[in-house]
Amino acid sequence: MELGQTGYRFVQSFAGNEFLDQIMVFSAEYLLVLVPLAGLYLWFNEENGFEKASFMGATVCLSIGLTYVFGLLYYHQPPQYQGFETILTKDLENAFPSQHAAGTFAAIWPALYLGKQRVASVLTAGAVLTGIGRVYTGLHFPIDILGGVLVSLTAFAAVHLLEDYLTLSIEWLQTVTERFNLDRR
């Protein structure tokens, strides 16, 4: 935990500049919106976009779900409850692993796998800023962010292994949706 606190203190050493503080608060809280935007971009701008967006969405959802599971295995309080001064205060029950980091990083791996380098680049920039912002604002220690990244990789591996089943489920869902739309006319 000492290494995590050292990393936390280093990132916190940059706090106090009002402009930078506001950028980091925005990064910590709102850059997560890049994830659904990337999914929508894939859905509407790519061949088989619904499948690609679903692959990304499944990875993100599983990643966030896994944060709860891993949070049961390892617990520690966020910095605000350990006597550190923070820019933001939230009622976090468990800081490990960071759900924001898990969610933002989880979108990167499918984008890379699908060969969408520009989307992956934007998501990577957003995820890194989100992770730094979460530490900078005092919501997490660096180990929480690393935990979120590892959870996202675990989720991606699981979804990738189950990709054929996901594709079948998507095809079934599309068939049901098409039939429903035809029946309504």
PDB file of all heavy atoms in Angstrom, residues 80-108:
ATOM      1  N   GLN A  80      -9.901   9.739   0.796  1.00  0.00           N
ATOM      2  CA  GLN A  80     -10.561  10.674   1.711  1.00  0.00           C
ATOM      3  C   GLN A  80     -10.806  10.052   3.082  1.00  0.00           C
ATOM      4  O   GLN A  80     -10.850  10.747   4.085  1.00  0.00           O
ATOM      5  CB  GLN A  80     -11.871  11.183   1.120  1.00  0.00           C
ATOM      6  CG  GLN A  80     -12.960  10.126   1.033  1.00  0.00           C
ATOM      7  CD  GLN A  80     -14.170  10.589   0.254  1.00  0.00           C
ATOM      8  OE1 GLN A  80     -14.086  11.505  -0.523  1.00  0.00           O
ATOM      9  NE2 GLN A  80     -15.297   9.943   0.470  1.00  0.00           N
ATOM     10  N   TYR A  81     -10.973   8.737   3.143  1.00  0.00           N
ATOM     11  CA  TYR A  81     -11.215   8.067   4.417  1.00  0.00           C
ATOM     12  C   TYR A  81      -9.933   7.626   5.105  1.00  0.00           C
ATOM     13  O   TYR A  81      -9.974   7.034   6.173  1.00  0.00           O
ATOM     14  CB  TYR A  81     -12.132   6.855   4.223  1.00  0.00           C
ATOM     15  CG  TYR A  81     -13.508   7.217   3.733  1.00  0.00           C
ATOM     16  CD1 TYR A  81     -14.082   6.542   2.678  1.00  0.00           C
ATOM     17  CD2 TYR A  81     -14.234   8.250   4.314  1.00  0.00           C
ATOM     18  CE1 TYR A  81     -15.347   6.870   2.210  1.00  0.00           C
ATOM     19  CE2 TYR A  81     -15.501   8.590   3.857  1.00  0.00           C
ATOM     20  CZ  TYR A  81     -16.048   7.893   2.809  1.00  0.00           C
ATOM     21  OH  TYR A  81     -17.296   8.232   2.356  1.00  0.00           O
ATOM     22  N   GLN A  82      -8.799   7.912   4.449  1.00  0.00           N
ATOM     23  CA  GLN A  82      -7.512   7.557   5.038  1.00  0.00           C
ATOM     24  C   GLN A  82      -6.724   8.798   5.442  1.00  0.00           C
ATOM     25  O   GLN A  82      -5.516   8.743   5.618  1.00  0.00           O
ATOM     26  CB  GLN A  82      -6.712   6.698   4.057  1.00  0.00           C
ATOM     27  CG  GLN A  82      -7.359   5.348   3.818  1.00  0.00           C
ATOM     28  CD  GLN A  82      -6.480   4.427   3.016  1.00  0.00           C
ATOM     29  OE1 GLN A  82      -5.265   4.534   3.036  1.00  0.00           O
ATOM     30  NE2 GLN A  82      -7.088   3.501   2.304  1.00  0.00           N
ATOM     31  N   GLY A  83      -7.421   9.926   5.553  1.00  0.00           N
ATOM     32  CA  GLY A  83      -6.791  11.139   6.053  1.00  0.00           C
ATOM     33  C   GLY A  83      -6.148  12.021   4.991  1.00  0.00           C
ATOM     34  O   GLY A  83      -5.511  13.016   5.334  1.00  0.00           O
ATOM     35  N   PHE A  84      -6.300  11.693   3.725  1.00  0.00           N
ATOM     36  CA  PHE A  84      -5.723  12.517   2.663  1.00  0.00           C
ATOM     37  C   PHE A  84      -6.698  13.621   2.279  1.00  0.00           C
ATOM     38  O   PHE A  84      -7.909  13.423   2.254  1.00  0.00           O
ATOM     39  CB  PHE A  84      -5.414  11.668   1.419  1.00  0.00           C
ATOM     40  CG  PHE A  84      -4.301  10.689   1.614  1.00  0.00           C
ATOM     41  CD1 PHE A  84      -4.578   9.368   1.926  1.00  0.00           C
ATOM     42  CD2 PHE A  84      -2.981  11.079   1.472  1.00  0.00           C
ATOM     43  CE1 PHE A  84      -3.556   8.458   2.099  1.00  0.00           C
ATOM     44  CE2 PHE A  84      -1.958  10.176   1.653  1.00  0.00           C
ATOM     45  CZ  PHE A  84      -2.244   8.852   1.965  1.00  0.00           C
ATOM     46  N   GLU A  85      -6.147  14.792   1.952  1.00  0.00           N
ATOM     47  CA  GLU A  85      -6.977  15.865   1.424  1.00  0.00           C
ATOM     48  C   GLU A  85      -7.306  15.533  -0.025  1.00  0.00           C
ATOM     49  O   GLU A  85      -6.456  15.059  -0.768  1.00  0.00           O
ATOM     50  CB  GLU A  85      -6.243  17.199   1.503  1.00  0.00           C
ATOM     51  CG  GLU A  85      -6.108  17.722   2.916  1.00  0.00           C
ATOM     52  CD  GLU A  85      -5.568  19.135   2.941  1.00  0.00           C
ATOM     53  OE1 GLU A  85      -5.892  19.929   2.038  1.00  0.00           O
ATOM     54  OE2 GLU A  85      -4.815  19.428   3.879  1.00  0.00           O
ATOM     55  N   THR A  86      -8.556  15.800  -0.407  1.00  0.00           N
ATOM     56  CA  THR A  86      -8.985  15.476  -1.761  1.00  0.00           C
ATOM     57  C   THR A  86      -9.733  16.652  -2.366  1.00  0.00           C
ATOM     58  O   THR A  86     -10.292  17.485  -1.655  1.00  0.00           O
ATOM     59  CB  THR A  86      -9.908  14.241  -1.770  1.00  0.00           C
ATOM     60  OG1 THR A  86     -11.070  14.517  -1.004  1.00  0.00           O
ATOM     61  CG2 THR A  86      -9.196  13.018  -1.207  1.00  0.00           C
ATOM     62  N   ILE A  87      -9.724  16.705  -3.699  1.00  0.00           N
ATOM     63  CA  ILE A  87     -10.471  17.738  -4.404  1.00  0.00           C
ATOM     64  C   ILE A  87     -11.952  17.368  -4.441  1.00  0.00           C
ATOM     65  O   ILE A  87     -12.821  18.201  -4.235  1.00  0.00           O
ATOM     66  CB  ILE A  87      -9.912  17.924  -5.827  1.00  0.00           C
ATOM     67  CG1 ILE A  87      -8.495  18.489  -5.747  1.00  0.00           C
ATOM     68  CG2 ILE A  87     -10.799  18.833  -6.658  1.00  0.00           C
ATOM     69  CD1 ILE A  87      -7.769  18.548  -7.073  1.00  0.00           C
ATOM     70  N   LEU A  88     -12.235  16.108  -4.725  1.00  0.00           N
ATOM     71  CA  LEU A  88     -13.604  15.603  -4.742  1.00  0.00           C
ATOM     72  C   LEU A  88     -13.813  14.667  -3.574  1.00  0.00           C
ATOM     73  O   LEU A  88     -12.889  13.972  -3.151  1.00  0.00           O
ATOM     74  CB  LEU A  88     -13.885  14.838  -6.036  1.00  0.00           C
ATOM     75  CG  LEU A  88     -13.927  15.625  -7.330  1.00  0.00           C
ATOM     76  CD1 LEU A  88     -14.139  14.684  -8.513  1.00  0.00           C
ATOM     77  CD2 LEU A  88     -15.032  16.663  -7.299  1.00  0.00           C
ATOM     78  N   THR A  89     -15.015  14.642  -3.071  1.00  0.00           N
ATOM     79  CA  THR A  89     -15.367  13.650  -2.055  1.00  0.00           C
ATOM     80  C   THR A  89     -16.636  12.952  -2.517  1.00  0.00           C
ATOM     81  O   THR A  89     -17.592  13.586  -2.937  1.00  0.00           O
ATOM     82  CB  THR A  89     -15.601  14.298  -0.672  1.00  0.00           C
ATOM     83  OG1 THR A  89     -16.609  15.287  -0.797  1.00  0.00           O
ATOM     84  CG2 THR A  89     -14.334  14.910  -0.131  1.00  0.00           C
ATOM     85  N   LYS A  90     -16.586  11.664  -2.482  1.00  0.00           N
ATOM     86  CA  LYS A  90     -17.730  10.837  -2.865  1.00  0.00           C
ATOM     87  C   LYS A  90     -17.902   9.774  -1.795  1.00  0.00           C
ATOM     88  O   LYS A  90     -16.967   9.417  -1.095  1.00  0.00           O
ATOM     89  CB  LYS A  90     -17.473  10.142  -4.215  1.00  0.00           C
ATOM     90  CG  LYS A  90     -17.207  11.072  -5.367  1.00  0.00           C
ATOM     91  CD  LYS A  90     -18.485  11.462  -6.005  1.00  0.00           C
ATOM     92  CE  LYS A  90     -18.179  12.327  -7.214  1.00  0.00           C
ATOM     93  NZ  LYS A  90     -19.282  12.618  -8.003  1.00  0.00           N
ATOM     94  N   ASP A  91     -19.085   9.241  -1.712  1.00  0.00           N
ATOM     95  CA  ASP A  91     -19.328   8.141  -0.791  1.00  0.00           C
ATOM     96  C   ASP A  91     -18.996   6.827  -1.481  1.00  0.00           C
ATOM     97  O   ASP A  91     -19.874   6.121  -1.958  1.00  0.00           O
ATOM     98  CB  ASP A  91     -20.780   8.137  -0.323  1.00  0.00           C
ATOM     99  CG  ASP A  91     -21.077   9.287   0.616  1.00  0.00           C
ATOM    100  OD1 ASP A  91     -20.147   9.743   1.296  1.00  0.00           O
ATOM    101  OD2 ASP A  91     -22.237   9.730   0.671  1.00  0.00           O
ATOM    102  N   LEU A  92     -17.710   6.539  -1.587  1.00  0.00           N
ATOM    103  CA  LEU A  92     -17.264   5.280  -2.166  1.00  0.00           C
ATOM    104  C   LEU A  92     -17.141   4.266  -1.046  1.00  0.00           C
ATOM    105  O   LEU A  92     -16.474   4.514  -0.049  1.00  0.00           O
ATOM    106  CB  LEU A  92     -15.904   5.448  -2.854  1.00  0.00           C
ATOM    107  CG  LEU A  92     -15.826   6.401  -4.039  1.00  0.00           C
ATOM    108  CD1 LEU A  92     -14.380   6.517  -4.520  1.00  0.00           C
ATOM    109  CD2 LEU A  92     -16.693   5.901  -5.166  1.00  0.00           C
ATOM    110  N   GLU A  93     -17.777   3.134  -1.204  1.00  0.00           N
ATOM    111  CA  GLU A  93     -17.661   2.100  -0.192  1.00  0.00           C
ATOM    112  C   GLU A  93     -16.311   1.399  -0.293  1.00  0.00           C
ATOM    113  O   GLU A  93     -15.698   1.086   0.702  1.00  0.00           O
ATOM    114  CB  GLU A  93     -18.796   1.093  -0.347  1.00  0.00           C
ATOM    115  CG  GLU A  93     -20.164   1.695  -0.077  1.00  0.00           C
ATOM    116  CD  GLU A  93     -21.282   0.733  -0.374  1.00  0.00           C
ATOM    117  OE1 GLU A  93     -21.016  -0.434  -0.696  1.00  0.00           O
ATOM    118  OE2 GLU A  93     -22.440   1.158  -0.294  1.00  0.00           O
ATOM    119  N   ASN A  94     -15.892   1.138  -1.512  1.00  0.00           N
ATOM    120  CA  ASN A  94     -14.638   0.451  -1.751  1.00  0.00           C
ATOM    121  C   ASN A  94     -13.984   1.120  -2.949  1.00  0.00           C
ATOM    122  O   ASN A  94     -14.621   1.312  -3.980  1.00  0.00           O
ATOM    123  CB  ASN A  94     -14.889  -1.037  -2.033  1.00  0.00           C
ATOM    124  CG  ASN A  94     -13.608  -1.832  -2.198  1.00  0.00           C
ATOM    125  OD1 ASN A  94     -12.511  -1.327  -1.986  1.00  0.00           O
ATOM    126  ND2 ASN A  94     -13.751  -3.078  -2.574  1.00  0.00           N
ATOM    127  N   ALA A  95     -12.732   1.460  -2.806  1.00  0.00           N
ATOM    128  CA  ALA A  95     -12.046   2.153  -3.891  1.00  0.00           C
ATOM    129  C   ALA A  95     -11.448   1.193  -4.912  1.00  0.00           C
ATOM    130  O   ALA A  95     -11.048   1.608  -5.988  1.00  0.00           O
ATOM    131  CB  ALA A  95     -10.945   3.043  -3.317  1.00  0.00           C
ATOM    132  N   PHE A  96     -11.371  -0.083  -4.564  1.00  0.00           N
ATOM    133  CA  PHE A  96     -10.699  -1.052  -5.437  1.00  0.00           C
ATOM    134  C   PHE A  96     -11.696  -2.041  -6.020  1.00  0.00           C
ATOM    135  O   PHE A  96     -12.492  -2.610  -5.289  1.00  0.00           O
ATOM    136  CB  PHE A  96      -9.644  -1.838  -4.657  1.00  0.00           C
ATOM    137  CG  PHE A  96      -8.875  -2.781  -5.529  1.00  0.00           C
ATOM    138  CD1 PHE A  96      -7.775  -2.339  -6.236  1.00  0.00           C
ATOM    139  CD2 PHE A  96      -9.259  -4.102  -5.663  1.00  0.00           C
ATOM    140  CE1 PHE A  96      -7.067  -3.197  -7.054  1.00  0.00           C
ATOM    141  CE2 PHE A  96      -8.563  -4.965  -6.474  1.00  0.00           C
ATOM    142  CZ  PHE A  96      -7.466  -4.520  -7.170  1.00  0.00           C
ATOM    143  N   PRO A  97     -11.620  -2.279  -7.306  1.00  0.00           N
ATOM    144  CA  PRO A  97     -10.923  -1.533  -8.349  1.00  0.00           C
ATOM    145  C   PRO A  97     -11.788  -0.381  -8.839  1.00  0.00           C
ATOM    146  O   PRO A  97     -12.992  -0.346  -8.598  1.00  0.00           O
ATOM    147  CB  PRO A  97     -10.725  -2.567  -9.452  1.00  0.00           C
ATOM    148  CG  PRO A  97     -11.872  -3.509  -9.296  1.00  0.00           C
ATOM    149  CD  PRO A  97     -12.208  -3.526  -7.823  1.00  0.00           C
ATOM    150  N   SER A  98     -11.187   0.552  -9.524  1.00  0.00           N
ATOM    151  CA  SER A  98     -11.918   1.709 -10.024  1.00  0.00           C
ATOM    152  C   SER A  98     -12.869   1.298 -11.146  1.00  0.00           C
ATOM    153  O   SER A  98     -12.440   0.763 -12.170  1.00  0.00           O
ATOM    154  CB  SER A  98     -10.934   2.748 -10.564  1.00  0.00           C
ATOM    155  OG  SER A  98     -11.612   3.739 -11.302  1.00  0.00           O
ATOM    156  N   GLN A  99     -14.149   1.556 -10.954  1.00  0.00           N
ATOM    157  CA  GLN A  99     -15.133   1.246 -11.994  1.00  0.00           C
ATOM    158  C   GLN A  99     -14.957   2.160 -13.197  1.00  0.00           C
ATOM    159  O   GLN A  99     -15.149   1.741 -14.333  1.00  0.00           O
ATOM    160  CB  GLN A  99     -16.544   1.371 -11.436  1.00  0.00           C
ATOM    161  CG  GLN A  99     -16.871   0.310 -10.442  1.00  0.00           C
ATOM    162  CD  GLN A  99     -18.249   0.484  -9.837  1.00  0.00           C
ATOM    163  OE1 GLN A  99     -18.891   1.521 -10.002  1.00  0.00           O
ATOM    164  NE2 GLN A  99     -18.705  -0.526  -9.130  1.00  0.00           N
ATOM    165  N   HIS A 100     -14.597   3.417 -12.954  1.00  0.00           N
ATOM    166  CA  HIS A 100     -14.368   4.324 -14.077  1.00  0.00           C
ATOM    167  C   HIS A 100     -13.211   3.836 -14.939  1.00  0.00           C
ATOM    168  O   HIS A 100     -13.297   3.846 -16.171  1.00  0.00           O
ATOM    169  CB  HIS A 100     -14.081   5.741 -13.572  1.00  0.00           C
ATOM    170  CG  HIS A 100     -15.302   6.515 -13.214  1.00  0.00           C
ATOM    171  ND1 HIS A 100     -16.019   6.277 -12.076  1.00  0.00           N
ATOM    172  CD2 HIS A 100     -15.923   7.536 -13.848  1.00  0.00           C
ATOM    173  CE1 HIS A 100     -17.034   7.115 -12.007  1.00  0.00           C
ATOM    174  NE2 HIS A 100     -17.007   7.893 -13.081  1.00  0.00           N
ATOM    175  N   ALA A 101     -12.128   3.417 -14.299  1.00  0.00           N
ATOM    176  CA  ALA A 101     -10.983   2.911 -15.068  1.00  0.00           C
ATOM    177  C   ALA A 101     -11.361   1.625 -15.795  1.00  0.00           C
ATOM    178  O   ALA A 101     -11.031   1.442 -16.971  1.00  0.00           O
ATOM    179  CB  ALA A 101      -9.782   2.678 -14.149  1.00  0.00           C
ATOM    180  N   ALA A 102     -12.050   0.740 -15.107  1.00  0.00           N
ATOM    181  CA  ALA A 102     -12.452  -0.527 -15.737  1.00  0.00           C
ATOM    182  C   ALA A 102     -13.335  -0.264 -16.945  1.00  0.00           C
ATOM    183  O   ALA A 102     -13.140  -0.858 -18.013  1.00  0.00           O
ATOM    184  CB  ALA A 102     -13.173  -1.415 -14.721  1.00  0.00           C
ATOM    185  N   GLY A 103     -14.294   0.630 -16.809  1.00  0.00           N
ATOM    186  CA  GLY A 103     -15.219   0.919 -17.903  1.00  0.00           C
ATOM    187  C   GLY A 103     -14.555   1.595 -19.087  1.00  0.00           C
ATOM    188  O   GLY A 103     -14.808   1.240 -20.239  1.00  0.00           O
ATOM    189  N   THR A 104     -13.705   2.572 -18.809  1.00  0.00           N
ATOM    190  CA  THR A 104     -13.073   3.282 -19.926  1.00  0.00           C
ATOM    191  C   THR A 104     -12.023   2.428 -20.621  1.00  0.00           C
ATOM    192  O   THR A 104     -11.941   2.426 -21.848  1.00  0.00           O
ATOM    193  CB  THR A 104     -12.451   4.622 -19.472  1.00  0.00           C
ATOM    194  OG1 THR A 104     -11.549   4.394 -18.391  1.00  0.00           O
ATOM    195  CG2 THR A 104     -13.522   5.617 -19.058  1.00  0.00           C
ATOM    196  N   PHE A 105     -11.242   1.697 -19.862  1.00  0.00           N
ATOM    197  CA  PHE A 105     -10.229   0.840 -20.491  1.00  0.00           C
ATOM    198  C   PHE A 105     -10.869  -0.351 -21.203  1.00  0.00           C
ATOM    199  O   PHE A 105     -10.341  -0.836 -22.199  1.00  0.00           O
ATOM    200  CB  PHE A 105      -9.188   0.375 -19.467  1.00  0.00           C
ATOM    201  CG  PHE A 105      -8.114   1.388 -19.220  1.00  0.00           C
ATOM    202  CD1 PHE A 105      -8.217   2.312 -18.201  1.00  0.00           C
ATOM    203  CD2 PHE A 105      -6.988   1.436 -20.036  1.00  0.00           C
ATOM    204  CE1 PHE A 105      -7.238   3.258 -17.983  1.00  0.00           C
ATOM    205  CE2 PHE A 105      -5.997   2.380 -19.828  1.00  0.00           C
ATOM    206  CZ  PHE A 105      -6.122   3.297 -18.798  1.00  0.00           C
ATOM    207  N   ALA A 106     -12.001  -0.817 -20.716  1.00  0.00           N
ATOM    208  CA  ALA A 106     -12.664  -1.976 -21.334  1.00  0.00           C
ATOM    209  C   ALA A 106     -13.088  -1.695 -22.766  1.00  0.00           C
ATOM    210  O   ALA A 106     -13.191  -2.619 -23.572  1.00  0.00           O
ATOM    211  CB  ALA A 106     -13.877  -2.393 -20.505  1.00  0.00           C
ATOM    212  N   ALA A 107     -13.342  -0.457 -23.106  1.00  0.00           N
ATOM    213  CA  ALA A 107     -13.737  -0.124 -24.479  1.00  0.00           C
ATOM    214  C   ALA A 107     -12.550  -0.128 -25.434  1.00  0.00           C
ATOM    215  O   ALA A 107     -12.726  -0.295 -26.645  1.00  0.00           O
ATOM    216  CB  ALA A 107     -14.424   1.233 -24.502  1.00  0.00           C
ATOM    217  N   ILE A 108     -11.355   0.044 -24.908  1.00  0.00           N
ATOM    218  CA  ILE A 108     -10.158   0.118 -25.757  1.00  0.00           C
ATOM    219  C   ILE A 108      -9.858  -1.222 -26.409  1.00  0.00           C
ATOM    220  O   ILE A 108      -9.563  -1.292 -27.615  1.00  0.00           O
ATOM    221  CB  ILE A 108      -8.935   0.571 -24.933  1.00  0.00           C
ATOM    222  CG1 ILE A 108      -9.144   1.978 -24.401  1.00  0.00           C
ATOM    223  CG2 ILE A 108      -7.655   0.502 -25.777  1.00  0.00           C
ATOM    224  CD1 ILE A 108      -8.112   2.394 -23.373  1.00  0.00           C
TER     225      ILE A 108
END
